[in-house]
Structure formats: C-alpha cells, structure tokens
C-alpha cells in the first residue's frame, strides 16, 4: 500500500524535517523487525514540497506555507537524500510564473530510483511558467517618429524581448512581413554600400542569410566598419557545408537606424536604453516587457559513470530563453549540421529521465537537448511551438565515433580506418523515446533545424508525433551511427518551407565507408563491403507514417544513408528518394502524386524497391546499377510503367486502379476491387498518424490533400489554380486558332494574378505552356505529374508560346 502525505504535516502536527526522518527511520526499523515489509518498501512513501510565487523560503514547503524558490525546495530534497532518505519525492509548483536567475541543475546525488522517482511538476490544473527572462521596470518617454524610450535597470544585455505572449521584433531591414519566407522577409540590398553608409555604428548588429544553395541558415555578427566604410563581420559557421551567403535571401537586425516599424525594438547596450515603436492600439506604459537572460531552464547533468536517474519534469510551460544562433558551431561529423548543445531542458548523462506534458514556447534556441550519454530518456506529450531552434535533439559525443571526419570533403585514409564495428564508448543517447509531441512553428531564427534531430545515437523511437510548419526536415538523422531507430506513426507535413534539397524525413550516412569522391568510394566498398555497416550496425525502420513535403521529397535518404527498412508509409506529395547508400528495403508504401527517385546508386547496393504504389515514372539520376530489385511496383498510369521500363527495370510492374476509399478525406485505403491487393499490396491504417493525447490532438492540424494526379480527376474544360494562375488544357479549335498554334496542344493560361509566382516568372494571360522540364504538355494532368516529379528542384523550366514564338521562362515554386 502506498502512503502519500505532505512533508511537514504528520498526524495533524507540524514536524521539522529532522524529526520526520528520525520518526520514519524508527518506524521502518520496527516494521523490519516485525517482518512486516521487505527492504526497499519505504520507497513507496511520497514526500511532497510545494513552491509558489508568493511563498517564502522561511516556509516549510507545505501547500499552506510553500517555498518561494525552486532552489530552496530542490536543496531541501537534496539534503534529505544525502541523509539517506529513500522516499519518492515530488516538487509541486503552484500556479504562477517563476523567473529563474539561473538554470535549475540536478546532479547524480539528487537522483530518484525506479521505485522512487523524483518528480518536478505543476500542481494539478495549474498553469506554471518557468521563465528565463526578467520582467523590466520601465519609465517610457515618447520620442519623434512614434518611438518610445526607457532606461533599463537590472540587465546588461537584451537579445530577445517578449510582451503580450509573443516575441517582439528587433529593429531590422527589411521589415518583417508575417507569412513571408524565409525570415519573414528578405532583401538583396540589405548590405548595399549606401545602406551600410547610413548606419553610424552597426557593431552588435547581425546578418541573417540563407546558404547559397539554401541548405540552411547562416548568421554573422557585425563588428563594425573598416576605413573604407565596408561592413566587417564574423560568423557563417552554423552550416557544416561552408559557402557564401545567398545573394538575395538575407536581412539585417539590431541596427538602430532600422528602427522604423511598429512592433520593433532596439536596445542600446552602452547607454542601457530600450527603444520601442508601439503597434496600433498598444499602450506602451501598460505593457509588461520580459527580457530573456538564460538559454537553459532545467538541466540534468551526470555522466556515464555517475548518471542522473529517474527524474521527471511534468506539466510546465518553458519560456523566454535567449537566441543561441551565434553559438551553433560544433560540427556534427560530415552531416550538413552544426549544433549548440543546449536547450530549455537538457539531459546530459541520465538514465530513465523524462519531460512530459509540457509546453515549450517563446524560446530563442532549442527546446529539448539530449546530449552525450543518456539511456531511456522520454520526451512525451509536449507542445513545442514558436521557438528559434530545434524541438528535440538527441546527439551523442563525437568521442564515441571511430575514425571520425568533420566536413563533407574530409575523409580518413583507408589505411587508417578503424574497422571495429559500432561505437568506441557509450557516450551517446540510446533506447530513448520521443512520443506524442505536437511540434510546429519552429526554427523562427535558425534554419538548420528539425522537429526531431538524431545523430550519434542508437535505437531511438520517434512515434506518434505531429510535426509541421518547419523550415527544414521534420525528422532528421544525421548519420548511420548507430542505427536501430524506429520512426513510426508520425504525421509530418508543411516541411522544407525555407530551405531546399531536403525531405519531410531526411537523413545522411556519410559514415566511415563514405568518400566524397564517388570513384574512390566505389572501389573501397568493392574491396571492403563489410565497411558499409561499420557504423549503421542496426537497421532503422520507417513505417506507418504520413509524410508531405511540397519543396523536396517526402522521404529523402541522402548521401550514404544505409541499412533502412521502409514500409507502410503514406507519402502525399514529394515521393521517395534513395541516394548512394546500401541495404535499403522499401515496400508497401503509397506515393501519392509522385514516385520513386533513385539517385547515384552503386554496384551491389542490395537496394530493394518493390510493391509500392507510384503515380509517376521512376526519376533516376546517374543510376547505372539497380540493386537487388526494382520490380513488382504498382503503377496508376501505363505510360509511367513504360517510361520506367526504359531503365531496364519493372519487367513485372503492374498497372491498375487503386480505388482509394476516400482520397479527398485522406483515406487512401486500397479498394477491394483493385488488382493491387490481389497482387500483394497490403492495406495499413489511415487513422493512426500523429499525436494521440486528446488535448494535443484537438490543437493539431492536418496536411493538405491534393487532387489525385490522374486523368479522371480533371474533367474536360476544367480550369484549375496553378501558382496564382488559372489554367486549362487547350481543347478546341477556337483555342488553338486564338493562340496561333499548329495543332491542339499545350496548357492555356486563362488569367494570372498580380504578384503571384506565375506573374513573377513573367507568365501572362493567353500564354500557352508547351513544355515543362523537357516534357511536352498536352493536358493539365501532364503539368501536375511533371511538377510532382520535379518539385524538389524548387523551380520549373518552361517553354511558353506567346506572340507566335517560343519563350523560355523559369518559375520559382518554393
């Protein structure tokens, strides 16, 4: 029987902590002598301390006399543990906001046990906010141009400012436009000499830009100007594939002269003066401003030899941490990533610890970081939104890697490669669970981020998460070390919104065997095929997920990704890509409006792609060898099967109709009458994707379901929307004659909306689209299918008939 009481209340008498311990120990000895319970039974006693914003550290931790600081409650529990208590402890936070002056750090000696875990939680039904910010006491004075200013006391620097439950915008150029991507707006002239000349002292400002190839974001700190008036800055190390910043996708912030729009602020550090332009309707004197000061709120810090165990954090809101983009510089092997090992909650050297049912919002950096040695960590039931970095990162120590290299072009010579399989230490996350989390609107500052990032880890289970509105991949695996992951029942969509050449699920496998020179790598794996799985020692399974990526692939296994089994996934837009890896077995997936993208395959890759439903022809790039099997797949269009057979595959491919039960309502169950079922396709559940907690499920959105790219979807004469234009197939002699065509062919642009992507490409009403990406257009269905197969490029090359001649245009689709 479990005894539960509040420490400080015993038989209606107030007792000191010393007396409680002595009394309990004496009772235990009596019961032990009587044979009433066995050793360890006293761990079922639950001892609770309460904390409240209006409490007092002179209190005793009861609900009637709670502590005011978490540190006091934490210290009291630590003292009891040091004296030998085996109770199950709870630290319960009563309703309110707790502004932390330093992260709450738990060490090994404060650990719980499997029988007596230590829980830090919000009181039942209470909203408890842990804030890394300081409320500012301000004395505002109006200035010219709608600007208000106030001296600031108590803080020396402000890198993030919050008010009215949202992050405010630092003075920037161009001004922020909600919904404009990337960065909320960008400008090619952000660094023009004339603009730079208008800045009196830009030191302390920042440049934010996309990588030239849009592989992520890059950030620079402005240090001043040189004698010629040129801007001087440092940074750009946030992307592990170095390159120049994008020529147009860039903006600057934290420069006083750019303070010119409602909602913007600027902090003059030298004079400790805060400037703000109120938005319409705001009464600046009545607003409560919070300045972020901490980059982490709770940390569990142990080691493999002395881990923190069995501590759980539940039901709290984590807010107001500082941006960390200039600290994102640790190279993550040969992946495209760099990382900063911190977050609002950090697990570093733990066993059986977790964070549950929390809310992470208004954060400058990462939400949860599981770093180095961790076993059986659990991140579950959380809402993670409106943060500057990644949602959940699980990243091991590079010292656990054999023969490491740290950039795409680097490699260890074959003669020096360590050929012992697996890690050389246990300093990495393993057997952890990321489950039932709603992750959305992340990467507001950094763009090389993910809903879940896994690197140098083993057997991570990522299941039943809903992830959307992310600038890059929803789920990312940075390398093959050490595999064994299970990715299942996730709903991942609205991904790769600000970057390019990625997928809703994205991975690399630039492991020991991988070499940047394909010819060298080809020769290495022919001589040493056993090297392929030196790091990817266990198979990673991707199953029963729903993915959608409109600017890349739904599933993207990039450079070297090896040892995967992929089945029962519903891919809604981008198809599936396999690039230069080995031992990938892909079967029984539904690739809606897209298909299979094999890129750069090796001889004897042992890849298998079979019994998948595809709606476009295979899109091979530099594939001379076709693995163990690419056959027995199910095609909706016979032309796609014939086009795929030109590669020498799909001898036994099957053409048929899937008879989906309810595609417009996201039910892609294959109908009983379909030949696909008779030939071996197996239906899987269409209602088991994403979060399952009722509260999170009510908040979660779902993906867009596009019309099927099938001829029967588009009726004769139908006008459809396409990138801001209305288009239809050229179908009549009258339309042919009006356009001056030699025959009935092409796609007529009925109208083009001003400012749309179509208009920006130079398309006009009455144009006829003849060719898209090298394919002649005879009907709208042709355009839909060609765009689906090429959406990863982010642009379409078009040939348009106008004024009796062909014109070539480029349409940016991202």
């Amino acid at each position: 029987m479990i005894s539960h009481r509040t420490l400080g209340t015993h038989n209606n008498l107030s007792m000191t902590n010393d007396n409680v311990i002595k009394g309990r120990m004496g009772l235990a000895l009596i019961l032990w002598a009587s044979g009433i319970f066995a050793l360890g039974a006293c761990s079922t006693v639950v001892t609770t301390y309460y904390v409240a914003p209006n409490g007092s550290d002179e209190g005793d931790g009861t609900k009637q006399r709670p502590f005011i600081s978490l540190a006091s409650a934490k210290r009291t529990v630590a003292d009891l543990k040091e004296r030998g208590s085996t109770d199950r402890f709870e630290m319960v936070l009563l309703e309110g906001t707790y502004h932390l002056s330093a992260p709450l750090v738990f060490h090994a000696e404060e650990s719980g046990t499997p029988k007596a875990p230590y829980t830090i939680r919000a009181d039942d039904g209470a909203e408890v906010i842990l804030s890394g910010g300081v409320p500012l006491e301000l004395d505002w004075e109006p200035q010219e141009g709608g600007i208000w200013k106030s001296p600031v006391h108590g803080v020396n620097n402000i890198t993030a400012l919050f008010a009215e439950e949202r992050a405010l915008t630092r003075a920037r150029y161009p001004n922020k436009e909600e919904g404009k991507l990337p960065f909320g707006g960008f400008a090619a002239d952000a660094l023009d000499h004339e603009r730079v000349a208008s800045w009196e002292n830009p030191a302390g400002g920042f440049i934010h830009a996309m990588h030239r190839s849009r592989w992520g974001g890059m950030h620079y700190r402005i240090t001043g100007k040189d004698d010629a008036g040129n801007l001087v800055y440092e940074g750009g190390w946030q992307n592990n594939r170095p390159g120049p910043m994008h020529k147009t996708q860039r903006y600057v912030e934290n420069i006083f002269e750019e303070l010119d729009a409602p909602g913007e602020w600027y902090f003059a550090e030298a004079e400790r003066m805060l400037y703000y332009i109120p938005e319409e309707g705001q009464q600046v004197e009545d607003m409560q401003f919070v300045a972020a000061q901490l980059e982490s709120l709770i940390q569990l810090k142990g080691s493999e030899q002395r881990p923190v165990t069995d501590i759980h954090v539940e039901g709290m809101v984590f807010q107001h941490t500082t941006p960390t983009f200039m600290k994102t510089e640790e190279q993550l092997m040969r992946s495209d990533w760099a990382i900063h090992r911190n977050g609002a909650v950090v697990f570093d050297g733990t066993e059986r610890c977790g964070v549950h049912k929390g809310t992470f919002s208004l954060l400058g950096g990462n939400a949860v970081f599981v770093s180095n040695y961790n076993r059986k960590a659990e991140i579950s039931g959380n809402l993670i939104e409106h943060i500057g970095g990644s949602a959940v990162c699980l990243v091991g120590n590079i010292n656990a890697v054999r023969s490491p290299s740290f950039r795409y072009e680097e490699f260890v010579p074959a003669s020096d490669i360590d050929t012992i399989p697996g890690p050389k230490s246990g300093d990495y996350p393993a057997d952890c669970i990321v489950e039932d989390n709603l992750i959305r609107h992340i990467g507001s500052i950094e763009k090389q981020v993910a809903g879940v990032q896994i690197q140098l880890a083993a057997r991570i289970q990522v299941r039943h998460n809903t992830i959307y509105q992310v600038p890059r991949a929803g789920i990312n695996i940075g390398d093959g070390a050490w595999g064994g992951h299970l990715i299942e029942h996730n709903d991942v969509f609205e991904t790769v919104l600000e970057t390019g050449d990625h997928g809703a699920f994205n991975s690399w496998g630039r492991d020991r065997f991988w070499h940047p020179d394909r010819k060298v790598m080809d020769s290495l794996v022919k001589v040493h095929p056993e090297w392929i799985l030196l790091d990817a020692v266990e198979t990673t399974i991707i199953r029963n997920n729903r993915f959608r990526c409109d600017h890349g692939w739904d599933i993207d296994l990039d450079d070297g990704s090896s040892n995967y089994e992929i089945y029962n996934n519903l891919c809604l837009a981008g198809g599936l890509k396999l690039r230069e890896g080995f031992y990938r077995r892909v079967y029984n997936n539904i690739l809606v409006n897209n298909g299979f993208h094999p890129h750069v395959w090796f001889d004897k890759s042992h890849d298998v792609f079979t019994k998948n439903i595809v709606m476009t022809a295979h899109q091979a790039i530099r594939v001379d060898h076709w693995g163990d099997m690419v056959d027995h797949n199910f095609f909706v269009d016979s032309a796609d099967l014939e086009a795929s057979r030109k590669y020498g595959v799909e001898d036994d491919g099957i053409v048929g109709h899937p008879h989906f039960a309810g595609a417009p309502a996201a039910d892609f169950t294959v109908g009983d009458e379909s030949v696909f079922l008779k030939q071996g396709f197996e239906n899987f559940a269409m209602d088991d994707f994403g979060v399952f907690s009722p509260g999170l499920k009510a908040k979660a959105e779902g993906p867009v379901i596009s019309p099927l790219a099938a001829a029967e979807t588009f009726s004769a004469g139908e006008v459809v929307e396409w990138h801001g234009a209305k288009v239809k197939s050229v179908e009549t002699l009258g339309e042919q004659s009006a356009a001056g065509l030699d025959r009935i062919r092409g796609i007529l642009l009925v109208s083009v909306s001003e400012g749309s992507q179509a208009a920006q490409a130079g398309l006009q009403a009455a144009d006829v689209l003849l060719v898209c990406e090298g394919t002649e257009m005879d009907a709208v269905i042709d355009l839909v299918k060609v765009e689906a197969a090429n959406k990863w490029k982010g642009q379409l090359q078009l040939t348009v008939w106008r004024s009796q001649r062909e014109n070539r245009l480029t349409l940016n689709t991202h």
Side-chain angles (χ1 to χ4, degrees):
M1 179 178 179
I2 296 178
S3 171
H4 189 298
R5 58 183 173 73
T6 301
L7 189 62
T9 304
H10 181 65
N11 293 334
N12 296 320
L13 297 175
S14 178
M15 301 178 64
T16 65
N17 291 339
D18 284 341
N19 288 338
V20 171
I21 290 177
K22 290 175 182 176
R24 187 180 298 116
M25 292 179 66
L27 177 62
L29 289 173
I30 294 170
L31 294 174
W32 173 257
S34 304
I36 295 177
F37 63 71
L39 184 65
C42 59
S43 66
T44 58
V45 174
V46 179
T47 299
T48 302
Y49 284 101
Y50 288 89
V51 185
N54 61 351
S56 169
D57 286 343
E58 300 301 318
D60 58 8
T62 62
K63 197 166 189 178
Q64 294 72 32
R65 300 178 62 210
F67 294 122
I68 193 173
S69 70
L70 283 73
S72 292
K74 177 178 176 295
R75 186 166 53 249
T76 301
V77 173
D79 289 344
L80 288 167
K81 285 180 172 290
E82 186 178 1
R83 294 154 111 173
S85 174
T86 58
D87 282 7
R88 176 177 177 177
F89 286 98
E90 284 189 332
M91 184 194 303
V92 177
L93 280 63
L94 301 179
E95 179 112 11
T97 299
Y98 299 78
H99 296 280
L100 303 183
S101 59
L104 204 63
V105 182
F106 293 84
H107 297 288
E109 58 270 19
E110 299 172 89
S111 295
T113 67
K115 288 186 177 180
Y118 182 3
T119 303
I120 301 96
R121 66 175 178 87
D123 193 24
D124 294 341
E127 182 181 48
V128 171
I129 299 173
L130 292 190
S131 170
V134 172
L136 300 179
E137 295 183 6
L138 302 171
D139 185 14
W140 292 105
E141 296 179 4
Q143 308 293 300
E144 293 182 358
I147 299 174
W148 291 66
K149 75 173 185 178
S150 171
V152 173
H153 306 286
V155 300
N156 296 319
N157 191 21
I158 302 176
T159 58
L161 189 67
F162 305 89
E164 298 180 339
E165 298 185 359
R166 60 192 176 96
L168 303 179
T169 301
R170 273 209 279 202
R172 56 169 281 171
Y173 176 80
N175 294 330
K176 188 173 183 179
E177 297 182 48
E178 290 297 334
K180 188 170 183 179
L181 301 175
F183 297 128
F186 53 88
D189 66 347
L191 302 179
D192 279 6
H193 188 76
E194 288 184 4
R195 180 165 294 279
V196 172
S198 71
W199 302 336
E200 180 179 348
N201 181 19
F206 296 97
I207 305 166
H208 303 272
M210 299 305 294
H211 186 284
R212 174 181 59 186
S213 301
R214 294 176 42 249
W215 287 335
M218 304 166 75
H219 312 272
Y220 304 82
R221 180 187 295 108
I222 299 172
T223 58
K225 298 182 189 180
D226 63 17
D227 293 340
N230 298 310
L231 206 62
V232 180
Y233 50 86
E234 60 183 6
W237 46 66
Q238 297 84 0
N239 195 295
N240 201 28
R241 293 285 294 277
M245 68 176 75
H246 200 282
K247 290 182 179 180
T248 62
Q249 295 181 359
R250 52 176 70 170
Y251 77 100
V252 294
E253 71 165 355
N254 202 39
I255 294 174
F256 180 73
E257 287 82 0
E258 301 301 344
L259 180 65
D260 60 1
E264 287 189 345
W265 63 274
Y266 176 82
F267 179 65
E269 189 172 339
E271 56 183 305
R272 296 175 73 167
M273 189 70 69
L274 179 63
Y275 298 84
Y276 181 65
I277 301 179
E279 297 177 5
E280 185 177 354
Q282 286 183 335
Q283 300 298 319
V284 68
E285 304 100 320
D286 299 331
M287 296 172 64
Q288 176 62 69
F289 292 83
V290 177
Q293 297 295 295
L294 304 179
E295 63 180 63
S296 184
L297 303 176
I298 292 181
Q299 299 182 349
L300 279 58
K301 303 282 279 186
S303 65
E304 183 177 0
Q305 295 72 32
R306 199 158 182 262
V308 177
T309 66
D310 303 288
I311 293 182
H312 295 270
V313 181
E314 297 182 2
M316 289 185 280
V317 179
F318 303 90
Q319 290 186 343
H320 307 147
T321 59
T322 57
T324 57
F325 56 87
M326 289 307 296
K327 296 182 178 181
T328 302
E329 56 184 324
E330 179 188 340
Q331 295 170 300
L332 281 186
M333 308 301 294
R334 290 191 285 180
S335 76
D336 288 2
W337 277 57
I339 204 77
H340 176 53
R341 290 180 186 267
N342 213 345
V345 173
V346 176
F347 299 83
D348 188 349
T350 73
E351 294 178 1
R352 300 179 304 277
C353 295
V355 57
H356 319 279
K357 301 178 182 179
T359 296
F360 295 79
S361 67
L362 305 183
L363 303 176
N366 304 314
V368 181
F369 206 114
V370 182
S371 180
N372 302 319
Y373 174 82
N374 290 275
R375 296 295 183 269
K376 298 183 178 179
E378 182 176 329
I379 298 93
S380 63
N382 301 288
L383 170 62
I384 305 176
E385 61 180 354
H386 304 300
I387 65 173
S390 291
V392 181
C393 299
L394 303 103
V395 182
N397 194 305
I398 59 174
N399 294 327
V401 182
R402 300 179 188 276
S403 300
S405 297
F406 296 97
R407 189 162 280 171
Y408 178 93
E409 67 273 13
E410 295 182 1
F411 58 91
V412 175
S415 58
D416 296 334
I417 287 180
D418 184 338
T419 59
I420 299 174
K424 66 178 181 182
S425 78
D427 203 6
Y428 57 90
D431 304 305
C432 302
I433 295 174
V434 182
E435 180 178 48
D436 188 33
N437 299 286
L438 175 53
I439 298 169
R440 59 188 182 183
H441 303 289
I442 67 170
S444 61
I445 303 173
E446 301 182 58
K447 304 306 172 186
Q448 193 80 306
V449 299
V452 180
Q453 159 70 356
I454 301 170
Q455 186 134 20
L456 307 179
R459 299 180 301 280
I460 306 302
Q461 296 186 37
V462 181
R463 62 197 190 200
H464 279 291
N465 302 285
T466 298
I467 304 172
Y468 59 94
Q469 277 288 327
V470 298
R472 205 177 182 290
I475 301 172
N476 189 77
I477 297 180
D479 52 40
W482 289 274
H485 312 305
L486 177 60
I487 314 297
E488 65 176 352
H489 297 290
N490 300 286
D491 200 7
V492 186
F493 54 96
E494 292 182 32
T495 59
V496 195
L497 295 180
E498 299 180 71
T499 58
D501 196 14
H502 309 303
F505 172 88
N506 190 84
S507 68
W508 295 285
R510 299 169 189 150
D511 303 338
R512 272 177 273 181
F513 78 90
W514 191 86
H515 195 283
D517 186 322
R518 184 187 172 189
K519 292 181 180 178
V520 174
M521 182 162 54
D522 237 342
S523 63
L524 282 175
V525 298
K526 284 181 179 178
V527 176
H528 300 288
E530 72 280 4
W531 286 9
I532 296 166
L533 301 182
L534 288 178
D535 290 312
V537 291
E538 298 183 53
T539 302
T540 289
I541 296 173
I542 304 174
R543 68 186 182 195
N544 298 102
N545 302 282
R546 182 167 65 183
F547 293 116
R548 178 168 184 136
C549 180
D550 287 290
H551 309 291
W553 298 273
D554 296 334
I555 299 177
D556 180 5
L557 270 62
D558 211 351
D559 301 352
S561 300
S562 299
N563 203 2
Y564 279 79
E565 185 174 7
I566 303 173
Y567 62 96
N568 289 8
N569 297 286
L570 176 61
C571 297
L572 290 173
L576 184 148
K577 169 187 153 191
L578 300 181
R579 179 183 171 96
E580 56 175 48
F582 297 81
Y583 302 107
R584 284 85 61 95
R585 189 161 177 258
V586 182
Y587 60 95
N588 212 76
N589 302 282
I590 301 175
L591 310 183
V592 178
N593 292 350
N594 212 307
F596 182 40
H597 298 256
H599 293 185
V600 197
W601 279 20
F602 299 108
D603 189 17
K604 299 180 181 178
S605 69
H606 299 291
D607 287 328
V608 172
F609 185 82
T610 188
K611 294 189 177 180
N612 303 283
I613 297 175
V614 298
M615 298 184 68
T616 63
H618 300 339
Q619 303 292 316
I621 296 177
R622 294 173 58 196
V623 177
D624 301 318
H625 311 281
W626 283 90
D628 287 352
M629 179 189 295
V630 178
D631 204 353
H632 302 283
N633 291 292
F634 306 114
F635 291 80
V636 177
D637 189 332
S638 60
D640 293 334
L641 174 57
E642 292 307 312
S644 299
R645 282 177 171 165
K646 293 178 182 178
Y647 296 121
V649 297
E650 296 294 356
D651 288 343
D652 295 308
I654 299 165
V655 177
H657 197 296
H659 295 286
F660 293 132
D667 186 355
F668 290 86
T669 302
V670 176
D672 291 340
E673 64 271 42
S674 175
V675 67
F676 297 165
L677 292 183
K678 298 178 177 63
Q679 295 296 324
F681 187 85
E682 297 181 7
N683 278 316
F684 51 92
M686 292 289 157
D687 59 355
D688 198 20
F689 308 117
V691 293
F692 53 77
S693 294
L696 294 178
K697 202 165 186 176
K699 292 181 173 74
E701 298 176 20
V704 170
I705 306 299
S706 299
L708 290 178
E712 71 234 37
T713 304
F714 303 97
S715 58
E718 182 178 1
V719 177
V720 300
E721 293 280 347
W722 183 72
H723 298 289
K726 292 183 183 297
V727 302
K728 68 178 295 294
S729 304
V730 175
E731 297 172 316
T732 68
L733 290 172
E735 291 169 338
Q736 173 196 340
S737 176
L741 294 168
D742 59 343
R743 59 185 173 84
I744 294 177
R745 62 182 175 128
I747 297 169
L748 175 66
L749 278 77
V750 178
S751 64
V752 178
S753 298
E754 183 178 353
S756 65
Q757 288 179 326
Q760 291 173 24
L763 290 166
Q764 302 175 10
D767 285 348
V768 176
L769 177 57
L770 299 179
V771 179
C772 178
E773 286 294 318
T775 300
E776 292 187 358
M777 299 288 102
D778 289 323
V780 169
I781 182 60
D782 299 327
L783 179 60
V784 172
K785 292 178 69 171
V786 168
E787 181 169 2
N790 292 277
K791 62 172 64 233
W792 61 274
K793 297 178 180 178
Q795 60 183 25
L796 296 172
Q797 301 301 322
L798 310 176
T799 300
V800 173
W801 184 256
R802 179 194 301 162
S803 301
Q804 302 296 305
R805 66 185 181 88
E806 293 184 354
N807 300 268
R808 287 174 174 77
L809 302 174
T810 299
L811 173 70
N812 290 314
T813 60
H814 199 283

